[in-house]
Amino acid sequence: MITGTPKPIDEVLSMIEAYNKIIVAGCYGCVTVCRVGGDKEVQVLSSTLRLAREAAGRPVEIKEVCLERQCDPEYLEPMRPYIEDYQAVVSIACGAGIQFMAEKFAKTPLLPGINTGFLGVTERQGEWAERCQGCGDCVLHLTGGICPVTRCAKSIFHGPCGGSVGGICEVDKEIKCGWQMIIDRLKSLDQMDNYGKLKPYKGWDASRDGGPRRIIREDMK
Amino acid sequence: MKSGSNLERVMAAGHFAVTAECGPPRGADPDHVIKKAELVKGNVDACNVTDNQTSVVRMSSIAGCMLVKQSGIEPLLQMVVRDRNRIALQSDLLGASALGVRNLLCLSGDHQKFGDDPQAKNVFDIDSIQLIHLVKTMRDEGVFPSGDKLDGAPKFLIGCAVNPFADPYEIRVPRFKLKVDAGADFVQTQCIYNMDVFKKYMEDVKRQGLHERCKILAGVTPLKSAGMGKFMNRMVAGIDIPDSFIKRIADEPKEKQAAKGIEMCIEQIHELKEMEGIAGVHVMAIEWEEKLNEIIGGAGLLPRPVVEHETVH
Ligand code: SF4
Ligand code: SF4
């Protein structure tokens, strides 16, 4: 899923400084699962903003909505009849959802209420961790199902580097060395042959370096 | 000859090679490098010039190489893949070769988090092993990795670094082999203190015949004090200094510890000279270049041999 963290409330307050009638919009997709942008978070954020603005003597009217998904046009359309009655939208969907809403409603400023993070997993209650950078050319079959692009701090393809100590990455005591994990897993899969091969230079053009990407599936059009 | 460098000629002629290193300054003052070079001169076959080591911004390694070269020492250019994509790497390789740099060390580079600019974007477009492959392709095939023909191929003796003490141990020799397969002509090791582990490592290296395909320069760093040893053990990833090693220095009174460190470094070089498969030493006297002459001379490695181009076939 796509993860994120709430923006500090002061930052959101300063974004809405100029407005007194806004929408706070959540999303029932990924951000609900990682508890940063669902209907509950819409309620909490809206109440917090209202209270802060009341205390400052400049109350703000807030409409609370939560869409099925902010990244699909069909779920954005129902906002059309009323969106221009409001001066701005604070969206707590991921950056893709926020932008898509902005694209659909040309006259309404869109304000991000969260910092979108990464493609990750729920490791345990309240703890999410990155697993994929969407590089566009997956190599997990060669690396024991562990991603060198994401889980090695240097995204190297022939690790580990000299900074790996006791399974820990040089970057931080809390970060496991991705390459130690790859090797442990290749060993347990009896696939160490994969390690000894020189891998071609990564084609980063399949990643974001090729410019914003697009997927077209003729079969689905 | 692959590069015709002095270092290559010395090793090809069967001499035990000596390299040292010189870190460029945190500023634009060339005198700093020139002063260090004076201390290195005459003691080595080539001198590494580091590339923003530990991600701390310094004068560029190519500029440092030129200053070293002007001082009459053969430079060895260190190049990390942290800060440059493949376009910049290729371009700098061409530039360095055009300026007469003939030795190259291909490295990953420490993560930027350790330096001045932890918020910098890192590159790692290709990794250090792929850089070896890239240089070899340019040098031996005369083409860019893209396949286009080069208007003059760069000439480098291609080096890599290995750390026989890093984790996981079982991958150390296979990873070295990857570097040799990619095209490394020589290797400089991380500083060695634990000779037992290093000997075991060398046994594995020799079993794979890597010492016959790649010249191995063993890394040594003299300890200035017992405290320095303890500090390095604690703070530097992949350093292994046995307690017994530190104890020999700690047993000396404070004012004699530095001399003991040098004596032990010389002792180590003597031992390394006798080991099969070791082609030379890389003496990293960090900010202690004034001791190079004493160490290298003490190890019986001076004067450095002069090998003319013609004498090597
Ligand atoms: S290799 Fe690419 S696509 Fe596969 S997990 Fe890693 S970043 Fe994601
Ligand atoms: S220590 Fe491991 S994860 Fe960290 S940069 Fe090196 S190889 Fe990558």
Side-chain angles (χ1 to χ4, degrees):
Chain A
M1 87 188 97
I2 299 172
T3 61
T5 50
K7 273 193 178 287
I9 196 70
D10 287 343
E11 202 180 327
V12 183
L13 278 168
S14 75
M15 283 183 216
I16 65 163
E17 186 64 36
Y19 309 119
N20 53 34
K21 197 178 177 196
I22 63 168
I23 297 172
V24 170
C27 172
Y28 285 116
C30 306
V31 289
T32 289
V33 185
C34 67
R35 310 267 191 94
V36 69
D39 55 357
K40 282 202 195 70
E41 290 76 31
V42 167
Q43 284 167 27
V44 173
L45 176 60
S46 302
S47 313
T48 314
L49 294 175
R50 277 189 205 104
L51 285 172
R53 285 286 292 263
E54 248 158 56
R58 298 184 47 247
V60 58
E61 181 188 334
I62 298 180
K63 179 180 173 66
E64 303 177 11
V65 297
C66 194
L67 310 187
E68 196 55 36
R69 283 196 296 277
Q70 290 193 24
C71 54
D72 262 330
E74 61 195 281
Y75 300 114
L76 290 168
E77 268 324 295
M79 290 181 81
R80 193 168 298 280
Y82 63 81
I83 193 157
E84 282 182 24
D85 300 339
Y86 296 83
Q87 297 160 308
V89 177
V90 174
S91 166
I92 52 175
C94 73
I98 303 172
Q99 288 183 65
F100 210 35
M101 191 182 288
E103 261 171 75
K104 297 292 165 208
F105 306 119
K107 294 217 164 76
T108 308
L110 258 290
L111 315 170
I114 71 166
N115 291 318
T116 300
F118 47 79
L119 300 186
V121 296
T122 314
E123 279 195 337
R124 53 190 70 82
Q125 174 86 10
E127 212 171 315
W128 293 271
E130 186 169 19
R131 286 292 185 273
C132 174
Q133 293 194 358
C135 76
D137 183 15
C138 198
V139 296
L140 287 175
H141 58 301
L142 300 174
T143 54
I146 293 163
C147 170
V149 178
T150 311
R151 305 198 68 191
C152 165
K154 298 177 185 168
S155 297
I156 59 178
F157 276 76
H158 307 85
C161 74
S164 178
V165 179
I168 301 298
C169 170
E170 68 176 25
V171 168
D172 194 303
K173 283 191 200 57
E174 300 301 318
I175 301 175
K176 286 187 187 162
C177 169
W179 271 98
Q180 174 79 60
M181 289 190 281
I182 292 173
I183 284 155
D184 291 345
R185 184 134 165 98
L186 286 176
K187 272 199 287 189
S188 77
L189 293 172
D190 206 11
Q191 290 182 353
M192 277 302 281
D193 289 0
N194 283 351
Y195 181 81
K197 294 184 192 123
L198 270 177
K199 296 178 187 71
Y201 314 161
K202 174 97 177 143
W204 296 107
D205 54 338
S207 183
R208 209 220 62 86
D209 304 84
R213 293 170 279 177
R214 179 174 292 274
I215 295 170
I216 299 172
R217 292 266 314 260
E218 293 300 343
D219 56 324
M220 289 178 62
K221 282 198 159 178
Chain B
M1 289 273 112
K2 289 166 169 166
S3 69
S5 76
N6 181 54
L7 180 62
E8 182 178 12
R9 295 199 307 274
V10 165
M11 292 194 294
H15 298 290
F16 194 77
V18 182
T19 55
E21 80 177 30
C22 183
R26 298 262 290 146
D29 183 0
D31 291 343
H32 180 104
V33 183
I34 294 164
K35 274 194 203 113
K36 270 194 190 174
E38 283 306 316
L39 300 168
V40 176
K41 194 171 175 176
N43 295 312
V44 300
D45 305 312
C47 179
N48 290 39
V49 181
T50 51
D51 182 6
N52 297 299
Q53 74 266 35
T54 60
S55 306
V56 171
V57 180
R58 291 172 182 275
M59 181 189 288
S60 80
S61 53
I62 294 183
C65 279
M66 289 324 289
L67 293 169
V68 161
K69 193 164 179 281
Q70 282 162 19
S71 303
I73 305 166
E74 177 167 282
L76 192 161
L77 174 67
Q78 296 197 183
M79 193 173 267
V80 303
V81 295
R82 175 192 61 224
D83 310 320
R84 277 169 281 211
N85 68 10
R86 67 191 79 174
I87 301 172
L89 291 168
Q90 292 171 67
S91 156
D92 278 350
L93 288 167
L94 298 180
S97 182
L99 292 170
V101 179
R102 290 288 172 265
N103 307 297
L104 178 77
L105 192 71
C106 303
L107 301 169
S108 304
D110 298 308
H111 194 271
Q112 73 275 11
K113 112 152 224 185
F114 298 103
D116 298 322
D117 299 294
Q119 294 188 324
K121 190 167 181 181
N122 65 27
V123 182
F124 297 110
D125 175 15
I126 57 174
D127 66 26
S128 61
I129 297 185
Q130 292 166 332
L131 176 61
I132 296 170
H133 175 269
L134 180 146
V135 185
K136 186 176 160 64
T137 305
M138 291 171 88
R139 182 192 68 191
D140 295 350
E141 294 167 35
V143 295
F144 291 100
S146 66
D148 283 356
K149 217 171 146 356
L150 278 156
D151 186 5
K155 291 275 166 256
F156 290 110
L157 191 68
I158 307 170
C160 64
V162 296
N163 183 355
F165 310 99
D167 293 321
Y169 179 79
E170 71 264 34
I171 218 68
R172 287 297 125 199
V173 175
R175 191 158 186 263
F176 178 24
K177 180 168 182 294
L178 272 173
K179 295 183 178 190
V180 178
D181 288 345
D185 302 308
F186 74 94
V187 62
Q188 292 173 322
T189 77
Q190 170 69 286
C191 12
I192 301 160
Y193 297 98
N194 192 333
M195 289 296 266
D196 293 338
V197 171
F198 185 62
K199 280 178 191 155
K200 179 163 170 274
Y201 175 83
M202 280 304 295
E203 286 311 312
D204 293 342
V205 164
K206 283 186 283 184
R207 208 163 298 132
Q208 301 258 348
L210 299 178
H211 64 306
E212 282 156 1
R213 299 170 58 201
C214 178
K215 301 283 186 200
I216 299 172
L217 305 184
V220 291
T221 290
L223 291 181
K224 290 181 187 173
S225 64
M228 174 181 170
K230 286 180 199 148
F231 176 83
M232 284 172 67
N233 253 346
R234 209 171 48 241
M235 299 304 287
V236 187
I239 285 272
D240 173 6
I241 314 181
D243 291 341
S244 57
F245 196 103
I246 295 178
K247 187 168 178 301
R248 279 184 63 194
I249 297 178
D251 284 348
E252 298 288 322
K254 275 248 161 347
E255 68 282 3
K256 290 197 178 146
Q257 291 194 352
K260 189 72 185 172
I262 287 174
E263 179 193 320
M264 289 174 71
C265 186
I266 294 171
E267 215 172 84
Q268 264 191 302
I269 298 175
H270 277 299
E271 197 175 343
L272 290 162
K273 268 190 348 192
E274 299 309 315
M275 278 172 70
E276 190 201 342
I278 304 294
V281 274
H282 179 47
V283 187
M284 292 166 274
I286 306 157
E287 296 303 322
W288 216 17
E289 290 81 4
E290 64 271 26
K291 296 291 178 192
L292 278 172
N293 185 267
E294 184 180 339
I295 295 167
I296 297 164
L301 295 170
L302 291 179
R304 296 310 307 146
V306 178
V307 183
E308 300 300 340
H309 285 265
E310 306 80 67
T311 61
V312 182
H313 303 286

